[in-house]
């Protein structure tokens, strides 16, 4: 089990630590609902240093990224980031990721912790014929996510960068908490604003301590991965391993908007053909009309006990105080307002398809 550079810090703060994606990670400190509310109303800080980071450099860097990712990275200028995914050869998804253009010929790829080695092997295989320079820097870098409506105000004293000027899916390289040349980005996974700090492992403790000190008058608290999951689900953001995986179609998962057929990429021909046909199923958002808590793996039924789909993510929404979830159903039942049922133990609980996000700011 790997540790982040802050594992002992979390333990000293009384965090409940659990194995996650090969790392020992803080799942909660004072409880998921309280931590969730902190991020929605004030500001919280997450240690998400388990995420993977790859540098792709040189004159062939863009060519490799264009081949292995679904989105059009040629649209990126320095200082901008892009959500994308790695298609596999069989119609599924290797991983979803964020691509940052750091310099003209330098890109940073941020991937999910559980997929670091798989993603590295996947990219390296295609790079044999392209020849970009690849570096896996995951073990050397840390990542903090400072999230919430008070994030900018509370952290501005730590940097000469105008935090309020960093637009969504943009970033700057600047000073933060006395450390030079960190990446400050705005690609939040919570829906409550804020930004992320990428730094070296030996720098992260200084930054963590400074962040908690600067945010003390704003109600800042450390936040665990459990609240990160409820926050992202209220926005309807996909989680790899739950809502998308090697077998799920990116088009059925609603990722057509980051699938750009203006270029040639892995499995693009087959995906283009799939797009021409009506999808058999779609990933939908639903909320329970009756009391209950949906969970991953529960059956979605037609109300008479006949299975028609399955839940991929589900929880009791702390913000809305109702059961919400994502799941795959036949396309005919994917329209907003459609009635479905969730099989919770022996009960068929009525639910309805809704538009995302669940939580509206």
């Amino acid at each position: 089990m790997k540790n982040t550079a802050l594992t002992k810090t979390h333990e000293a703060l009384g965090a409940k630590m659990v194995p996650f994606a090969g790392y020992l990670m803080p799942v909660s400190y004072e409880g998921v609902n309280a931590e969730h509310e902190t991020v929605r109303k004030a500001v919280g800080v997450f240690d998400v240093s388990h995420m993977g980071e790859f540098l792709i450099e040189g004159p062939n860097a863009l060519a490799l990224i264009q081949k292995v990712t679904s989105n059009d990275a040629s649209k990126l200028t320095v200082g901008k980031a892009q959500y994308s995914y790695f298609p596999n050869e069989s119609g599924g998804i290797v991983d979803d990721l964020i691509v940052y253009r750091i310099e003209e010929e330098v890109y940073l790829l941020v991937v999910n912790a559980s997929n670091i080695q798989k993603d590295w092997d996947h990219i390296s295989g295609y790079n044999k014929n392209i020849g970009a320079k690849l570096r896996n820097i995951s073990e050397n870098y840390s990542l903090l996510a400072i999230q919430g409506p008070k994030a900018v105000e509370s952290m501005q004293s730590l940097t000469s960068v105008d935090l309020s000027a960093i637009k969504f899916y943009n970033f700057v390289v600047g000073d933060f908490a006395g450390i030079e040349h960190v990446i400050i980005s705005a690609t939040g996974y919570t829906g409550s604003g804020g930004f992320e700090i990428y730094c070296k492992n030996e720098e992260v403790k200084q930054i963590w301590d400074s962040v908690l000190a600067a945010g003390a008058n704003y109600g800042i608290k450390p936040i665990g991965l459990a609240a990160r999951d409820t926050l992202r689900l209220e926005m309807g953001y996909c989680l790899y391993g739950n809502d998308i995986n090697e077998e799920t179609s990116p088009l059925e998962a609603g990722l057509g908007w980051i699938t750009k057929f203006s270029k040639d990429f892995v499995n693009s021909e087959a995906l283009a053909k799939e797009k021409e046909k009506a999808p058999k199923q779609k990933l939908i958002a639903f909320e329970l009309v009756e009391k209950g808590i949906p969970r991953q793996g529960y059956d979605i039924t037609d109300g008479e006990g006949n299975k028609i789909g399955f839940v991929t993510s589900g929880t009791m929404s702390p913000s809305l105080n109702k059961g919400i979830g994502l799941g795959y159903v036949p396309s005919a039942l994917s329209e907003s307002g459609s009635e479905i049922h969730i099989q919770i133990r022996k009960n068929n609980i009525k639910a309805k398809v809704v538009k995302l996000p669940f939580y509206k700011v």
Side-chain angles (χ1 to χ4, degrees):
M1 194 63 57
K2 296 179 182 178
N3 293 324
T4 74
L6 292 172
T7 297
K8 290 182 179 179
T9 301
H10 301 310
E11 291 173 339
L13 288 168
K16 179 183 178 182
M17 306 295 286
V18 299
F20 183 83
Y23 286 80
L24 192 62
M25 298 296 294
V27 68
S28 65
Y29 297 83
E30 61 173 322
V32 58
N33 287 353
E35 292 170 35
H36 183 109
E37 185 175 6
T38 293
V39 175
R40 284 283 181 248
K41 295 183 177 179
V43 57
V45 56
F46 303 81
D47 176 16
V48 283
S49 302
H50 59 315
M51 299 291 282
E53 294 89 14
F54 305 153
L55 277 178
I56 302 186
E57 303 170 272
N60 298 321
L62 179 59
L64 176 60
I65 293 168
Q66 290 289 72
K67 180 63 178 177
V68 297
T69 67
S70 62
N71 211 335
D72 186 359
S74 71
K75 303 293 185 184
L76 283 174
T77 54
V78 174
K80 291 190 178 295
Q82 183 183 76
Y83 183 53
S84 193
Y85 65 87
F86 298 127
N88 64 23
E89 295 282 7
S90 56
I93 303 168
V94 177
D95 200 4
D96 62 339
L97 72 152
I98 299 177
V99 181
Y100 293 80
R101 191 167 191 174
I102 307 296
E103 298 175 14
E104 287 301 321
E105 294 185 351
V106 180
Y107 295 82
L108 176 69
L109 274 54
V110 181
V111 303
N112 286 299
S114 57
N115 293 332
I116 292 173
Q117 190 60 51
K118 180 182 73 166
D119 291 351
W120 178 257
D121 293 343
H122 180 78
I123 297 169
S124 298
Y126 286 99
N127 192 45
K128 291 175 182 176
N129 296 323
I130 295 175
K133 181 181 178 183
L134 299 182
R135 282 197 286 158
N136 182 355
I137 60 172
S138 305
E139 296 287 330
N140 307 114
Y141 278 77
S142 293
L143 172 58
L144 301 182
I146 305 162
Q147 298 284 293
K150 296 182 181 178
V152 169
E153 182 184 1
S154 62
M155 295 298 118
Q156 188 56 68
S157 64
L158 296 181
T159 178
S160 62
V161 173
D162 182 358
L163 296 175
S164 66
I166 306 176
K167 296 177 181 178
F168 198 42
Y169 269 79
N170 283 249
F171 70 93
V172 296
V173 178
D175 63 283
F176 192 85
I179 305 295
E180 299 293 331
H181 307 299
V182 301
I183 294 174
I184 308 171
S185 71
T187 62
Y189 195 51
T190 66
S192 284
F195 47 91
E196 302 80 43
I197 303 293
Y198 294 84
C199 63
K200 293 177 181 176
N201 288 344
E202 58 267 27
E203 300 167 340
V204 72
K205 181 63 164 61
Q206 177 178 324
I207 293 177
W208 174 271
D209 291 343
S210 298
V211 165
L212 289 178
N217 293 332
Y218 298 86
I220 196 169
K221 293 179 181 178
I223 312 295
L225 294 182
R228 189 167 175 84
D229 191 50
T230 56
L231 289 158
R232 71 92 193 169
L233 184 49
E234 286 186 346
M235 299 308 296
Y237 295 148
C238 285
L239 175 63
Y240 193 89
N242 283 44
D243 314 301
I244 52 176
N245 57 40
E246 292 276 0
E247 281 76 49
T248 52
S249 158
L251 302 181
E252 293 179 350
L255 297 180
W257 64 283
I258 56 168
T259 308
K260 300 302 171 65
F261 295 109
S262 55
K263 60 164 196 168
D264 173 58
F265 60 88
V266 174
N267 208 42
S268 57
E269 192 173 327
L271 286 171
K273 290 180 181 177
E274 182 185 338
K275 186 183 179 184
E276 293 174 2
K277 303 175 183 177
K280 294 179 181 178
Q281 63 176 5
K282 288 184 179 179
L283 182 66
I284 52 98
F286 65 86
E287 58 183 41
L288 298 191
V289 177
E290 302 168 338
K291 285 188 176 181
I293 304 175
R295 299 294 186 193
Q296 181 190 19
Y298 284 8
D299 288 349
I300 300 176
T301 71
D302 60 4
E304 297 178 5
N306 301 308
K307 182 179 178 179
I308 58 170
F310 58 96
V311 176
T312 57
S313 290
T315 194
M316 173 62 72
S317 165
S319 300
L320 306 176
N321 197 30
K322 63 175 69 172
I324 62 170
L326 303 175
Y328 286 94
V329 299
S331 295
L333 291 173
S334 65
E335 293 299 317
S336 181
S338 297
E339 183 179 299
I340 57 174
H341 292 75
I342 311 300
Q343 185 76 37
I344 301 179
R345 300 181 189 87
K346 295 181 180 179
N347 300 315
N348 262 318
I349 305 298
K350 189 182 294 185
K352 65 177 180 179
V353 178
V354 297
K355 291 183 178 179
L356 290 171
F358 296 104
Y359 175 80
K360 298 173 177 63
V361 181

